[in-house]
Amino acid sequence: MSAREALFEHTGRDDIILPFQIDPYGLRGRLIRLGPVVDRILGRHDYPEPVAAMLAETMALAACLAGALKYEGIFTLQTKGDGPISTLMADITSAGEMRAYARYDADRLAAADATAIAERSVPRLLGGGYIAFTVDQGANTDRYQGIVQLEGHTLSECTHSYFRNSEQLEAGVKLAAGRVATADGPAWRAGALMIQRLPYQRDLPGRPSEDEYDETWRTAVTLMSSATAAELLAEELSPDQLLLRLFHSEGVRAYPPQPVADSCRCSNVRVERVLRALSAEELADLRQDEDVVVVCEFCKREWRYDDAALDALRADDEPPGF
């Protein structure tokens, strides 16, 4: 088995976060390939094509940004806007478990022009609003959140704005999502490519000059930008082959990939905790065919409670002697 084959032996070539480095300049990057994960998540929802495509890009972007962080917990990427697509949300745990959902106005989306839909225009489809990046590492830690306005024509451009304005870091991001032909019929795929420029360190031995570092960064951004959507989504083009195709002249080194899995964190315990806290009026809004019905927005799993089950559940929460 070659070193290249061994790199993907346990994770496969799809549904991965693949870290890499461009030597000797210390530029870091991540390549994201989402196949069955994004197809299964989108398959649970009857989203219109433009909503599904932008949510697929959101999932790839969330995996890309999460791969740049050291954390134990949950990384969440969420957009909120006043356009036809009001919410895009994807989160991924430090173990690689991902889930996602979208909210949209069907009538307003149907009225959007074809160019805005084809270009996945943020101003026309998401409207004015913000994009938020959150890291939650548990109850005993401070939650980090970065929020910036939705500034840019695409999600990639909005992310560039975040790095410039909030992190003072230089980074380039390329996103792609779409349906591709497979042996079992059309399937959703998504991909992302990101490179990040680290601060120049003058005192490291063998470090090129700052001018050379600047030139290498510009070259790397150009090479990254040359990656096509077809290349990012192609199942037959392995991740390491794509990196070599783009950066072979600069020297690129890939590290072991992290798998990404389709996994929701909803549970009976969480649902019942919410039902105990709701008022009678709020419970009435959840009634369907005389039962209270709760549906997870992420995975579409359904919980149904008749009056007897609901009374027993809420009675359990009453203090002794109530």
Side-chain angles (χ1 to χ4, degrees):
M1 179 183 298
S2 69
R4 177 180 297 176
E5 291 169 334
L7 187 63
F8 301 98
E9 179 184 9
H10 301 295
T11 58
R13 297 170 183 265
D14 269 344
D15 300 328
I16 60 168
I17 301 171
L18 180 63
F20 64 89
Q21 181 170 311
I22 299 175
D23 291 325
Y25 304 99
L27 303 179
R28 295 179 182 175
R30 282 153 301 283
L31 173 60
I32 311 301
R33 278 286 182 81
L34 300 179
V37 164
V38 71
D39 192 57
R40 284 195 296 266
I41 290 175
L42 293 178
R44 297 191 188 102
H45 305 266
D46 190 22
Y47 291 136
E49 190 89 2
V51 178
M54 294 201 76
L55 185 58
E57 286 191 357
T58 301
M59 284 186 268
L61 180 57
C64 196
L65 297 177
L69 303 173
K70 293 182 179 180
Y71 69 101
E72 291 293 330
I74 304 165
F75 174 85
T76 301
L77 187 156
Q78 183 176 27
T79 69
K80 284 283 191 178
D82 57 10
I85 303 175
S86 59
T87 302
L88 296 169
M89 180 175 178
D91 67 31
I92 181 169
T93 70
S94 45
E97 298 171 334
M98 174 174 280
R99 59 183 189 169
Y101 77 90
R103 291 177 182 162
Y104 66 97
D105 184 312
D107 293 336
R108 294 180 65 194
L109 188 65
D113 64 71
T115 300
I117 291 174
E119 295 178 352
R120 298 171 192 170
S121 166
V122 166
R124 302 294 294 277
L125 297 180
L126 302 186
Y130 64 86
I131 182 169
F133 309 87
T134 306
V135 178
D136 187 346
Q137 300 193 86
N140 297 321
T141 61
D142 292 332
R143 191 168 77 160
Y144 167 80
Q145 186 171 64
I147 299 178
V148 293
Q149 297 300 306
L150 284 168
E151 296 178 349
H153 187 71
T154 64
L155 282 177
S156 294
E157 291 179 7
C158 292
T159 307
H160 294 161
S161 176
Y162 166 73
F163 276 107
R164 285 194 306 269
N165 298 331
S166 298
E167 297 294 327
Q168 288 80 49
L169 295 174
E170 290 188 77
V173 179
K174 185 87 179 255
L175 298 173
R179 288 182 185 267
V180 300
T182 71
D184 299 321
W188 280 99
R189 293 179 64 81
L193 184 62
M194 176 178 175
I195 57 172
Q196 180 181 335
R197 176 175 176 166
L198 302 180
Y200 182 77
Q201 300 181 45
R202 295 177 175 81
D203 55 347
L204 289 182
R207 174 69 69 183
S209 70
E210 193 164 359
D211 287 342
E212 290 175 315
Y213 189 47
D214 290 342
E215 181 59 31
T216 299
W217 168 248
R218 288 190 290 268
T219 300
V221 170
T222 300
L223 293 172
M224 181 208 70
S225 301
S226 72
T228 66
E231 288 176 319
L232 287 172
L233 301 180
E235 188 176 9
E236 65 277 7
L237 180 63
S238 69
D240 59 322
Q241 288 172 330
L242 176 55
L243 291 180
L244 288 172
R245 177 180 293 186
L246 293 172
F247 303 115
H248 66 90
S249 61
E250 308 302 308
V252 62
R253 173 173 48 175
Y255 294 94
Q258 176 188 352
V260 178
D262 165 23
S263 180
C264 189
R265 298 188 301 281
C266 63
S267 67
N268 294 341
V269 172
R270 293 182 182 217
V271 170
E272 291 176 358
R273 184 184 301 132
V274 170
L275 291 178
R276 288 189 180 101
L278 294 180
S279 67
E281 292 77 12
E282 291 168 325
L283 288 172
D285 291 337
L286 298 176
R287 286 197 175 273
Q288 298 179 23
D289 301 326
E290 304 303 322
D291 292 338
V292 168
V293 179
V294 179
V295 179
C296 176
E297 285 192 282
F298 290 97
C299 70
K300 308 305 288 184
R301 181 180 173 186
E302 180 181 292
W303 287 263
R304 185 176 291 268
Y305 296 83
D306 60 19
D307 287 340
L310 191 63
D311 289 343
L313 171 66
R314 290 168 70 84
D316 285 344
D317 200 42
E318 293 174 356
F322 182 78

